Amino acid sequence: MLMRRRSFLKLGVLGACALAAGGAAYRLVRGPAAPGRFVLDGAARAALAAIVPAMLGSALPQEGGARPAALAGAIAGVDTAIRGLPLAAQQEVQDLFGLLALAPARRFVAGVHGGWLDADPAQVAAFLQSWRTHRLATLQTAYLALHDLILGAWYADAAHWAAIGYPGPLPELSA
């Protein structure tokens, strides 16, 4: 079945409205926060705890003791990266996490039926892949935001540069 242009546009508007409504509902449920500033609350941390391993894959240590510390560091790095964004972008990211936190929205747009802490890694990887290749630009943009925030925060840490062959900044030359 071919999708007509009008149907495609309606579906895009519907997707954007769903994202905005999910974010607004999340803000109402969560209660007041610092005006305009991003807050990485427990629900957003739980979502990141499931999404970060799927995004980083083998870059995240697999051994027991190092993995939780690396995951916590990655989540803290994402929080720092988000706080460095302009306020409007912080609000959009807050809306995205709000959508992922609400159970009906999480089930509908991400396909994750239980909570994030119980999410199967294969299920999380499948949701990310579906967003990456989704026909709605809104979901592709949401995937790219998660991707860029997580990988940007991870590789902003000098401890991870060797894994990608980056030697670090060049020494300054004296004149």
Side-chain angles (χ1 to χ4, degrees), residues 5 8 10 14 27-28 34 43 48-49 51 57 62 65 74 77 82 84 89 95 101 106 120 123 146 155 170 174:
R5 181 175 181 226
F8 180 76
K10 285 180 185 178
L14 182 63
R27 281 193 304 275
L28 287 174
L48 280 172
I51 295 169
Q62 301 302 313
I82 294 169
D95 289 346
R106 183 182 61 247
D120 178 5
Q123 189 181 36
L146 290 169
Y155 289 112
L170 294 174
S174 301

Side-chain angles (χ1 to χ4, degrees), residues 10 42-43 52 59 66 79-80 84 93-94 97 127 133 135 138 146 152 158 162 168:
K10 285 180 185 178
V52 165
D79 185 32
T80 300
V93 173
Q94 189 84 50
F97 281 113
F127 128 70
T133 60
R135 64 182 175 202
T138 303
L146 290 169

Side-chain angles (χ1 to χ4, degrees), residues 45 48-54 56 60-61 66-77 154:
R45 285 183 187 282
L48 280 172
I51 295 169
V52 165
L56 292 178
L60 197 63
R67 188 174 178 85
L71 183 57
I75 292 171
W154 181 258

Side-chain angles (χ1 to χ4, degrees), residues 34 36-41 44 78-79 82-83 87 90-91 93-94 97:
R37 290 275 172 207
F38 178 78
V39 177
L40 189 65
D41 62 6
V78 170
D79 185 32
I82 294 169
R83 290 175 187 272
L87 288 177
Q90 287 183 34
Q91 191 60 55
V93 173
Q94 189 84 50
F97 281 113

